[in-house]
Amino acid sequence: EVKNPVYVAELKIDGLSVSLLYKEGKLVRAATRGDGVTGEDITHNAVTIKTIPLTLTEKVDIEVRGEIYMSKKSFNDLNKKQEIARKALFANPRNAAAGSVRQLDSSIAKERNLDCFIYHLPNPLDYDINKHYDSLLYMKKLGLTTNPISKRVNGINELLEFINEWTEKRDELPYEIDGIVIK
């Protein structure tokens, strides 16, 4: 029994899951989760997202996972353009982001100003990392964008404070969330 457990609390970004594969620090593939076994290769669109680095700060072979999303501002701008062009409006930022990364024409994804937060290192022990928070710090050190609102909390009371704070501030965020992840 752990008397004072340490958790990591993170905002659950409402977007599209992505897996990024780097070889010797260079982005070689970006893929969606797809059906859980086979995803779609979206590398041609991922390279247009400014928060996905093409080269890491170290020449490392690594796979990381994250969430591609569209900010509320980009979503509103996109729907204004759609309205002016008399095209169908997007229902929400998540659908707009998902549709954007699946386009064959990468200029469409680029103009939609997508972003990405990285939140998971599938094999941390390969990098001598045995705590989730340390994996977030390592991925950030590599030049990947992690959510700065992620927080290490001590015990259930600090965890509940984090949840309550971001439940109240949810509408102030520049992107949509669909909850909080506790690791």
Side-chain angles (χ1 to χ4, degrees):
E1 177 182 324
V2 178
K3 294 199 186 249
N4 294 309
V6 176
Y7 303 97
V8 177
E10 304 174 51
L11 302 180
K12 186 174 181 307
I13 307 303
D14 192 11
L16 174 76
S17 294
V18 67
S19 176
L20 303 175
L21 180 64
Y22 290 86
K23 294 288 185 187
E24 295 185 9
K26 304 258 185 238
L27 179 65
V28 295
R29 187 177 62 238
T32 66
R33 182 175 50 214
D35 62 9
V37 176
T38 304
E40 292 177 61
D41 186 328
I42 58 164
T43 309
H44 67 291
N45 286 326
V47 299
T48 70
I49 299 172
K50 60 189 174 293
T51 47
I52 295 179
L54 302 181
T55 304
L56 301 176
T57 61
E58 296 178 16
K59 291 185 176 187
V60 63
D61 293 349
I62 194 167
E63 178 186 3
V64 297
R65 297 198 183 128
E67 198 82 2
I68 294 173
Y69 66 95
M70 181 178 286
S71 72
K72 292 175 184 175
K73 181 187 180 322
S74 293
F75 173 72
N76 290 333
D77 291 347
L78 173 59
N79 266 347
K80 284 177 189 166
K81 287 180 187 174
Q82 292 289 103
E83 193 171 23
I84 290 167
R86 295 189 176 176
K87 293 182 180 177
L89 301 183
F90 289 93
N92 56 57
R94 188 213 177 285
N95 288 356
S100 299
V101 298
R102 290 188 170 106
Q103 295 289 323
L104 294 176
D105 181 354
S106 60
S107 68
I108 294 171
K110 184 175 183 172
E111 77 180 28
R112 290 187 179 171
N113 295 314
L114 300 173
D115 280 298
C116 182
F117 281 130
I118 300 301
Y119 60 80
H120 181 65
L121 178 60
N123 53 343
L125 295 177
D126 291 354
Y127 305 92
D128 293 323
I129 297 169
N130 60 15
K131 293 182 178 162
H132 176 66
Y133 192 77
D134 293 339
S135 72
L136 292 174
L137 295 175
Y138 178 63
M139 292 184 294
K140 184 176 179 179
K141 179 182 160 211
L142 292 176
L144 295 157
T145 303
T146 60
N147 192 326
I149 296 175
S150 300
K151 184 177 181 182
R152 186 170 33 194
V153 294
N154 296 299
I156 197 74
N157 289 334
E158 283 186 31
L159 181 57
L160 291 172
E161 286 173 20
F162 182 91
I163 292 169
N164 291 335
E165 175 184 1
W166 290 104
T167 298
E168 288 176 22
K169 292 181 175 179
R170 182 181 195 148
D171 291 338
E172 299 171 26
L173 291 166
Y175 45 80
E176 296 286 339
I177 64 169
D178 52 2
I180 293 174
V181 178
I182 303 160
K183 298 178 182 174

